[in-house]
Amino acid sequence: MNYASRSVPRHLARGAIGFGLIVGSIALVPVAGPVTLLAAPLALVAFRGCPTCWMVGLAQTISRGRLERRCADGVCTLARPGPPDSEDRGAMDR
């Protein structure tokens, strides 16, 4: 599953909103009562799931275009993207 955003600043903004909603909803309980806890589920929308999903998305956003997953013979590795193979170039020319 892909949790990446279009850019790192956009992803960080989503994180700031999500963490702000969680912290704000808990911190405002003594002032405004338990109704403020209703803001906490909105953080899940900002995170696109949970805080862990947001962290995975941050790693995906940062590494986008820098790392590539390659699988061969049941073994997957991360590698820097290289030039396309000659077979791939032929397919692109068609």
Side-chain angles (χ1 to χ4, degrees), residues 7-84:
S7 67
V8 173
R10 180 177 283 194
H11 198 83
L12 292 176
R14 280 193 15 247
I17 291 168
F19 286 115
L21 284 168
I22 288 174
V23 170
S25 68
I26 293 170
L28 291 175
V29 168
V31 176
V35 74
T36 61
L37 294 175
L38 295 175
L42 295 175
L44 298 178
V45 174
F47 288 140
R48 292 186 190 164
C50 61
T52 304
C53 300
W54 180 82
M55 295 292 273
V56 168
L58 180 61
Q60 288 177 346
T61 303
I62 291 171
S63 70
R64 179 177 283 160
R66 295 183 186 173
L67 293 176
E68 181 176 276
R69 181 177 173 183
R70 295 182 185 165
C71 298
D73 299 326
V75 177
C76 295
T77 59
L78 289 176
R80 292 179 189 248

